[in-house]
Amino acid sequence: DGGITQSPKYLFRKEGQNVTLSCEQNLNHDAMYWYRQDPGQGLRLIYYSQIVNDFQKGDIAEGYSVSREKKESFPLTVTSAQKNPTAFYLCASSIFGGSLYNEQFFGPGTRLTVL
Amino acid sequence: SQQGEEDPQALSIQEGENATMNCSYKTSINNLQWYRQNSGRGLVHLILIRSNEREKHSGRLRVTLDTSKKSSSLLITASRAADTASYFCATDALHNNNDMRFGAGTRLTVKP
């Protein structure tokens, strides 16, 4: 059963704490992405990775960090430097290799709330 | 900065009517895609149209692309209550098709 999973679905964090959101895919996709969505808003790109051990900053990378040690996994850490981290976080993946194939497949999202 | 901008921000129609949403973007693209999001869920891909295509159909969906005006439209015909969702357009960057940007979306409500 192929797909992309995110955990946990809901996450609560105290101010000043780092927290890591999990994203795993078994679609054999090369590229993976993290987006942030605020209420009533569109998606803003945080980071993306086209291949293992490589990633690029998106529009709002400050206060976030990522790693891509395995093809299947792209965890996102929300650090204490992120001033307003309460949001809905979406992970996505896509085949890398040409403009015909960049349909993105999304996980169900993680809702992060800072208390 | 976000590439695509959808219009209108919100749309409310009766079941059976057609719904049209528009998307404008700023720079040249390889592809434009439309996605759907039910409240509190991830996005689901609907349709992709390439920059050398002008129109594409998928079931009750019709997408047009006008690269000279840098705009696209999504038409949902014979709408159903289950079509109620937010719809987003996404565009890639000409230099990097994996660098995608999403608009703020159109919130469609279909009343039964």
Side-chain angles (χ1 to χ4, degrees), chain B:
Chain B
S1 60
Q2 286 182 328
Q3 168 79 304
E5 292 184 9
E6 290 89 346
D7 169 60
Q9 291 185 343
L11 180 61
S12 182
I13 59 175
Q14 293 294 135
E15 209 165 24
E17 293 179 341
N18 295 344
T20 299
M21 290 159 268
N22 303 296
C23 170
S24 59
Y25 57 93
K26 296 173 184 173
T27 60
S28 296
I29 59 173
N30 295 305
N31 307 292
L32 184 142
Q33 301 181 48
W34 285 92
Y35 288 80
R36 166 195 169 123
Q37 183 183 34
N38 283 30
S39 182
R41 302 289 187 90
L43 277 68
V44 175
H45 181 263
L46 295 176
I47 198 164
L48 180 153
I49 187 165
R50 294 160 59 183
S51 58
N52 62 354
E53 296 176 314
R54 292 296 166 259
E55 188 171 312
K56 209 162 181 181
H57 297 256
S58 176
R60 292 185 296 112
L61 305 180
R62 173 179 168 248
V63 169
T64 62
L65 178 65
D66 186 336
T67 53
S68 66
K69 295 181 179 178
K70 291 187 171 57
S71 68
S72 172
S73 67
L74 170 66
L75 168 67
I76 304 174
T77 60
S79 64
R80 305 166 182 168
D83 294 329
T84 295
S86 292
Y87 292 83
F88 296 89
C89 69
T91 53
D92 63 358
L94 199 58
H95 65 280
N96 183 352
N97 59 283
N98 284 295
D99 183 357
M100 287 180 57
R101 297 291 188 266
F102 288 77
T106 292
R107 173 70 189 169
L108 173 65
T109 302
V110 181
K111 300 175 186 175

Side-chain angles (χ1 to χ4, degrees), chain A residues 55-86:
Chain A
F55 46 83
Q56 285 78 42
K57 292 182 179 180
D59 294 329
I60 55 165
E62 186 175 351
Y64 300 97
S65 66
V66 292
S67 62
R68 187 82 188 278
E69 297 176 1
K70 298 187 299 182
K71 188 175 184 178
E72 307 80 37
S73 179
F74 191 40
L76 173 74
T77 297
V78 184
T79 74
S80 56
Q82 170 51 236
K83 297 305 177 190
N84 186 21
T86 294

